[in-house]
Amino acid sequence: MKAFYKNNNGLIAIPEWTPNCWINIESPTPAEKTYLLEELQIPEAFYNDIEDIDERPRIEIEDGWTLIIMRVPIKSNDIKLPFQTIPLGLVFKEDICVTISFYKTEIIADFVSYSKRKNIEIQDNYDLILRLLLSSSVWYLKYLKQINQKIKLAEDNLEKSIKNEELQALLQIEKCLVFFITSLKGNDVLFHRVKNLKAHKANYDLDLLEDVDIELSQAQDTANIYSNILTGMMDAYASVISNNMNNIMKQMTSISIILMIPTLIASLYGMNVPNGLEESKYGIWILLLISVVLSAFGVFLFKRRRWF
């Protein structure tokens, strides 16, 4: 999907390209790829780098073109990975500025709507990347809240019964948090590189720099806190599962020992040797009585030692 925006007390959608407007392309079609590579003539290497799902945040300059890649969060349709991060590339040169994403995100539409509400004027391409970093940090925090709700739901389910499904849900959430923490660290490094560019350092809005720094730090701290909580929770449930297994094995062993007592007595009585009871009509009852007494004594002993 291709869209054009220009400054007018916020970002306003326009029908076609004009110099110094912002072009946003999400999930580019073959026609849009041709438009980028042949009409705008952006370097194909930049396009391929943005397409790589594992591309790290960075700045690169080639033939007058500047590429800035940041990582933004998205909500995935994959049940095994409900949240993940993707590269969002900003490519610009002179009066051309393009953002490219190979996945549909909620960030861009929200960013445009927010700029209209607040009447934000984008000063230049570096101002745009800083504001996108700020917007992405806010969305990281939004998704982290949803992740926290999933953690609480999984915890409630685990309190009722420990099943593989709940443990797998926690593992999936942990994987999401690892992606978030790694991407936020990359964005933080990118922010400080952009912030310290000597050619543009004097033109930055200091309030905007402070806002981006605060939101990035808050998102990183929140992701780390949730990750630590989740790690502690999984360790605790691993200990619970291990303890439950030990209790079950202890109970099964105790039951086996109790059942072994009458079996041993019956085996001794059934041996082909004289024992004084083979001619007695009360022999079977005497053996049953001895078995019951010894078994009852065994149960009493195990109960006292809390092996049952």
Side-chain angles (χ1 to χ4, degrees):
M1 185 185 72
K2 179 169 59 178
F4 304 95
Y5 300 96
K6 70 174 182 178
N7 278 319
N8 185 9
N9 292 325
L11 292 167
I12 305 298
I14 56 176
E16 59 184 11
W17 180 83
T18 59
N20 296 312
C21 77
W22 169 33
I23 308 169
N24 178 58
I25 296 180
E26 292 182 320
S27 303
T29 62
E32 290 167 345
K33 179 180 180 180
T34 302
Y35 171 77
L36 289 169
L37 299 181
E38 296 183 7
E39 292 190 39
L40 299 182
Q41 296 185 343
I42 71 169
E44 187 173 0
F46 285 1
Y47 182 88
N48 294 334
D49 287 347
I50 300 169
E51 189 176 11
D52 183 3
I53 185 65
D54 298 318
E55 191 63 39
R56 60 183 174 82
R58 59 189 176 86
I59 301 176
E60 186 176 338
I61 299 175
E62 180 181 314
D63 297 330
W65 288 92
T66 300
L67 168 67
I68 300 178
I69 296 179
M70 57 184 290
R71 294 195 70 86
V72 298
I74 62 169
K75 186 179 289 186
S76 171
N77 293 324
D78 186 357
I79 299 177
K80 295 183 178 180
L81 191 65
F83 300 94
Q84 60 177 317
T85 63
I86 60 163
L88 173 67
L90 177 65
V91 185
F92 58 88
K93 177 183 179 181
E94 298 174 354
D95 59 354
I96 298 174
C97 176
V98 188
T99 52
I100 305 171
S101 169
F102 283 81
Y103 298 84
K104 180 70 176 176
T105 70
E106 298 180 85
I107 292 175
I108 298 299
D110 179 71
F111 175 67
V112 171
S113 175
Y114 178 80
S115 70
K116 292 177 183 177
R117 265 194 338 266
K118 298 295 183 179
N119 298 323
I120 295 173
E121 292 288 332
I122 308 297
Q123 303 301 322
D124 55 28
N125 297 325
Y126 289 95
D127 187 60
L128 175 60
I129 194 65
L130 287 173
R131 294 187 183 278
L132 285 174
L133 277 170
L134 177 61
S135 181
S136 71
S137 299
V138 171
W139 275 94
Y140 273 111
L141 288 169
K142 288 182 180 180
Y143 287 144
L144 283 168
K145 288 181 181 178
Q146 296 181 32
I147 287 175
N148 189 39
Q149 293 299 319
K150 288 182 175 290
I151 293 174
K152 290 180 178 178
L153 179 61
E155 185 179 6
D156 292 340
N157 291 334
L158 281 170
E159 286 178 358
K160 298 174 184 176
S161 64
I162 299 177
K163 296 181 181 178
N164 289 339
E165 291 78 5
E166 280 75 26
L167 292 173
Q168 288 172 357
L170 290 179
L171 288 172
Q172 293 160 9
I173 295 171
E174 185 178 36
K175 191 174 181 181
C176 294
L177 288 172
V178 170
F179 280 122
F180 274 31
I181 291 170
T182 305
S183 297
L184 283 165
K185 286 181 179 177
N187 283 356
D188 188 55
V189 173
L190 173 66
F191 165 66
H192 284 92
R193 287 197 62 188
V194 172
K195 177 183 176 182
N196 295 320
L197 289 173
K198 294 181 179 179
H200 305 277
K201 199 171 183 179
N203 300 325
Y204 290 143
D205 183 343
L206 296 180
D207 290 336
L208 176 59
L209 289 175
E210 184 179 4
D211 288 343
V212 176
D213 194 14
I214 291 172
E215 291 296 330
L216 265 174
S217 298
Q218 185 176 355
Q220 288 186 81
D221 291 342
T222 303
N224 283 319
I225 289 170
Y226 289 165
S227 180
N228 292 336
I229 291 173
L230 187 56
T231 300
M233 186 190 306
M234 293 188 68
D235 289 343
Y237 280 112
S239 298
V240 169
I241 292 171
S242 178
N243 187 58
N244 289 344
M245 180 62 68
N246 290 337
N247 288 335
I248 291 172
M249 293 304 298
K250 185 171 64 176
Q251 290 174 0
M252 294 299 294
T253 303
S254 300
I255 292 171
S256 298
I257 294 173
I258 297 301
L259 293 176
M260 185 189 71
I261 295 173
T263 303
L264 177 62
I265 295 171
S267 299
L268 292 174
Y269 175 72
M271 295 177 66
N272 192 23
V273 294
N275 53 39
L277 294 176
E278 64 272 11
E279 301 296 336
S280 174
K281 62 178 181 179
Y282 301 107
I284 184 63
W285 302 109
I286 294 172
L287 291 174
L288 285 175
L289 179 62
I290 294 173
S291 298
V292 170
V293 170
L294 291 179
S295 296
F297 177 75
V299 171
F300 169 77
L301 184 62
F302 289 163
K303 284 278 189 181
R304 189 171 183 180
R305 291 179 176 271
R306 297 183 180 178
W307 288 359
F308 268 141

